[in-house]
């Protein structure tokens, strides 16, 4: 696992306190750099479609063999995009026999959502 | 105002129904393309810092003259980043005399947050 996968929106609760909400306080340079990596991973239509295909799947996980047919792209290209989503800490995967299975990390998505929402400002100042 | 500013996360309520939540249903190609533009705008450390500086400002708006000193970047570079945030529909601005004043569009941020949060799946299926 690369260093990038351990920051900001990792699997543990400690990371939840990494960054203030967008409306709570200005980000420092390190926080902005880490968060920008994650938003950059989301800043591609293929990756967003892959993420939504995985996230919306009943049962919570998807075989890569079910993802590839949804795109007019090669298997290596799909795998590359999935790798970038994984490095951003948004999904994880496991190989079982021939195929790799992917699932989203809901904690990471929810923390990103909490970072963006402006409602917390009202709560914080109430 | 360019076409890009009118999509997905615009100022009006109609845009709220543009995209399903990430965990609700797979995005189609058009939805993914529009959302990716917005996430791409967030996928840069300088733009994230600018957005957080504007969003966290008491009073809700910031003079560009107060933003530039926070960065070791030229005024045109800062203005370019602000333009990209504006084109993504995340902020808006107004010129008053010498200076331009910026504010965030909280509806756009909240809709982006709602798109990312996985909690809505539980609500939708409850």
């Amino acid at each position: 696992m690369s260093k990038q996968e351990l920051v900001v929106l990792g699997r543990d609760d400690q990371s939840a306190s990494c960054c203030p909400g967008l409306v709570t306080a200005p980000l420092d340079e390190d926080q902005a750099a880490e968060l920008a990596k994650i938003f950059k991973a989301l800043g591609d239509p293929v990756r967003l479609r892959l993420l939504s295909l995985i996230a919306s799947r009943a049962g919570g996980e998807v075989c890569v063999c079910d993802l590839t047919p949804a795109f007019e792209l090669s298997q290596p290209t799909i795998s590359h995009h999935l790798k970038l989503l994984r490095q951003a800490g948004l999904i994880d995967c496991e190989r079982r026999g021939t195929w790799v299975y992917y699932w989203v990390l809901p904690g990471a998505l929810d923390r990103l959502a909490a970072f963006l929402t402006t409602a917390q400002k009202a709560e914080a100042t109430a």
Side-chain angles (χ1 to χ4, degrees), chain A residues 5-95:
Chain A
E5 288 181 81
L6 294 170
V7 295
V8 183
L9 298 171
R11 292 101 175 123
D12 60 326
D13 286 342
Q14 292 181 325
S15 61
S17 60
C18 153
C19 298
L22 186 59
V23 296
T24 309
L27 294 170
D28 68 29
E29 286 186 43
D30 289 344
Q31 291 167 339
E34 298 302 347
L35 273 172
K37 282 181 199 162
I38 300 165
F39 283 121
K40 200 169 178 180
L42 292 172
D44 177 276
V46 172
R47 290 197 289 279
L48 271 183
R49 287 181 62 206
L50 280 167
L51 189 65
S52 75
L53 277 168
I54 299 168
S56 63
R57 176 64 66 99
E61 62 177 40
V62 188
C63 173
V64 69
C65 58
D66 289 329
L67 292 172
T68 311
F71 299 87
E72 292 181 359
L73 296 167
S74 70
Q75 169 76 51
T77 300
I78 295 294
S79 291
H80 172 71
H81 284 301
L82 288 167
K83 184 182 170 189
L84 293 178
L85 287 172
R86 199 160 62 86
Q87 286 178 337
L90 296 168
I91 62 172
D92 206 351
C93 68
E94 184 180 73
R95 176 176 289 279

Side-chain angles (χ1 to χ4, degrees), chain A residues 20-27 114-125:
Chain A
L22 186 59
V23 296
T24 309
L27 294 170
F115 167 76
L116 288 171
T117 189
T118 62
Q120 65 200 48
K121 186 168 196 177
E123 289 168 20
T125 57

